[in-house]
Amino acid sequence: MSSVKARILTTLGAVPLIFILLRLLPSTGDSLIVAGPYSLAPPLLAIVLALIWHRILSALFFGVLLGALLVAPHQPFLAPVSTVSEFIIPTMLELDNLYMIAFTLLLMGMVGIMIASGGVDGLVNISARFAKGRRRTQTLVGSMGLALFFDDYANTVVVGTTARKLTDRALISREKLAYIVDSTAAPVASIALVSTWIGIEIRYLEKQMEQLGVIAASGYGVFLQLIPYRFYCIFALMLVFIIAITGKDFGPMLRAERRCRKHGTPVAPGSRPATSASFGRFKALPGLPLRWFNAVIPVISVLTFIMVSFFISGSGNLTDRTLDPLTLAGWKDAFVHASNTGILLAASGLVGVLAAVVLAMAQRLMTVRQILFSCGAGMKAMLPAVGLIVLAIALRSTTDG
């Protein structure tokens, strides 16, 4: 039996079991009792279908669909409509999510201009002088992840796209690149003393302090005390560099690395990366000088705008004292009390795009039409990942409901 037939039969066998489960679940009024273990059904279904189909977007959609069935079990034929109208569309239109999507798309638009203007190739050429061999290349990419500690989304987008050509040149599989990026982006942002995570995290901790009693002077004090116990973040970062330095791989990663070295295929045959296939073939315009600063300056512009805007926002919310920008305590207090962080992140993405545009036009590297095309190509490449984020948040909202 072919793998495709096996997946179809397994899925068809799972569907009747789901409806039998829906009929057996106790109900009160018009909705099922979805609290407790039953609320895990939608994400569990999504995980199972992702393992069977190897199609994450489809698996997440059916997870949301099951959530809609659990909320309204007596109207099963309306579940597809409510999946879109009550979960997916509200998720897309929620203001914080819109800012996050805008930030991600703008960053990819910036990267698209950086690639087309030759900035990324120039940065790769400069980096190749230091990254001689697979071990040094992996160490360099991991270090890039540590350098962009301030935000996990920016880290993932910028490092994941700019380091792609560097790892391809060193015959490092995309699986390994994804591992390095994933194991540095969120872990370093979650333990950094100053990051875009810290404000909301401190607020959550302070709410818990009200229930648990005074265990520290402030939510930030709790955050600092918890850093040594963030074992996943610490060990994930350590393991990235241990694997990079020793060159030791195991399991599926070892098979991926052997495939890449033997056949020169960073992307596994038949796989579907989260970014569009056309973006993987996107290159610098022919005949342009490959200048590394056309890639570095836009990224620094994004980082600088985030740091400065967060400091100004946090300082404005603290009317009882003046923050000192020359001290770590001043930056800490600013990030803790910063507000409207979503719109500030989206604005930083726009600043990055404008910086890339100004560099390309000032050096007469690209026409307006070429800039618009490359920016659009970068944004288009991110649409599958944006769909994944939206469906993941919608799936979470079904369990919250």
Side-chain angles (χ1 to χ4, degrees):
M1 183 184 298
S2 66
S3 60
V4 176
K5 290 182 179 179
R7 292 173 185 172
I8 294 175
L9 291 176
T10 305
T11 304
L12 292 177
V15 172
L17 292 177
I18 293 172
F19 279 95
I20 292 173
L21 175 63
L22 290 175
R23 296 294 298 174
L24 294 177
L25 286 175
S27 62
T28 56
D30 295 329
S31 63
L32 293 174
I33 300 175
V34 295
Y38 297 127
S39 64
L40 298 176
L44 285 177
L45 176 67
I47 293 172
V48 170
L49 292 183
L51 293 174
I52 296 174
W53 292 348
H54 295 222
R55 300 290 182 268
I56 298 178
L57 287 174
S58 301
L60 286 172
F61 177 82
F62 278 95
V64 179
L65 178 62
L66 176 59
L69 284 169
L70 288 170
V71 172
H74 302 297
Q75 297 177 324
F77 297 105
L78 295 180
V81 177
S82 61
T83 296
V84 177
S85 62
E86 297 182 19
F87 295 105
I88 295 178
I89 292 180
T91 297
M92 295 177 63
L93 297 181
E94 187 176 336
L95 196 57
D96 289 339
N97 295 337
L98 283 175
Y99 288 142
M100 180 269 296
I101 293 172
F103 176 55
T104 305
L105 291 177
L106 286 169
L107 282 180
M108 281 301 295
M110 176 192 75
V111 171
I113 300 174
M114 288 161 46
I115 293 174
S117 64
V120 171
D121 283 343
L123 181 61
V124 169
N125 291 339
I126 291 293
S127 302
R129 300 177 185 177
F130 306 97
K132 296 185 181 298
R134 293 168 46 81
R135 297 186 183 185
R136 288 190 179 182
T137 301
Q138 294 178 56
T139 303
L140 177 62
V141 175
S143 300
M144 292 168 62
L146 293 182
L148 295 178
F149 62 88
F150 61 94
D151 183 74
D152 59 322
Y153 284 113
N155 193 320
T156 301
V157 172
V158 174
V159 178
T161 52
T162 57
R164 196 175 295 177
K165 292 187 177 182
L166 191 63
T167 54
D168 288 354
R169 178 181 295 187
L171 291 181
I172 297 172
S173 67
R174 291 290 175 83
E175 292 91 333
K176 174 60 74 66
L177 174 60
Y179 161 71
I180 295 174
V181 172
D182 181 71
S183 295
T184 53
V188 72
S190 66
I191 63 175
L193 299 181
V194 175
S195 73
T196 55
W197 279 28
I198 196 171
I200 186 65
E201 191 169 356
I202 297 298
R203 295 188 189 101
Y204 287 149
L205 290 173
E206 288 177 345
K207 289 181 180 179
Q208 294 299 318
M209 288 172 61
E210 296 176 0
Q211 304 294 327
L212 300 175
V214 179
I215 58 177
S218 65
Y220 193 80
V222 178
F223 169 78
L224 291 177
Q225 294 179 33
L226 289 176
I227 289 179
Y229 300 98
R230 300 198 168 191
F231 300 118
Y232 167 75
C233 300
I234 296 171
F235 290 140
L237 292 171
M238 291 174 57
L239 192 59
V240 166
F241 291 96
I242 291 174
I243 291 177
I245 294 171
T246 62
K248 300 295 183 181
D249 293 301
F250 48 88
M253 186 66 73
L254 178 60
R255 292 194 292 271
E257 290 292 270
R258 286 175 174 172
R259 179 207 72 228
C260 186
R261 290 196 299 268
K262 182 178 180 180
H263 302 289
T265 54
V267 179
S271 65
R272 293 186 178 182
T275 54
S276 64
S278 60
F279 190 74
R281 299 186 295 270
F282 195 48
K283 299 179 180 179
L285 296 176
L288 294 183
L290 306 180
R291 297 167 178 160
W292 59 270
F293 54 80
N294 288 330
V296 173
I297 291 178
V299 175
I300 293 178
S301 300
V302 172
L303 190 153
T304 302
F305 184 88
I306 290 176
M307 301 293 285
V308 173
S309 63
F310 271 53
F311 188 88
I312 294 174
S313 176
S315 300
N317 292 329
L318 289 175
T319 57
D320 58 333
R321 64 183 186 274
T322 302
L323 300 182
D324 186 0
L326 300 179
T327 64
L328 179 60
W331 285 97
K332 176 261 293 183
D333 290 337
F335 270 68
V336 168
H337 295 91
S339 58
N340 300 320
T341 55
I343 193 171
L344 293 178
L345 287 174
S348 71
L350 181 60
V351 168
V353 171
L354 293 176
V357 170
V358 169
L359 286 169
M361 297 192 69
Q363 301 169 74
R364 297 182 179 181
L365 300 175
M366 303 171 65
T367 64
V368 174
R369 183 175 181 179
Q370 290 170 332
I371 289 174
L372 292 176
F373 176 82
S374 58
C375 183
M379 292 183 179
K380 180 183 176 182
M382 201 63 184
L383 290 180
V386 169
L388 189 151
I389 294 172
V390 170
L391 287 173
I393 298 174
L395 182 62
R396 184 194 65 190
S397 66
T398 64
T399 60
D400 292 341

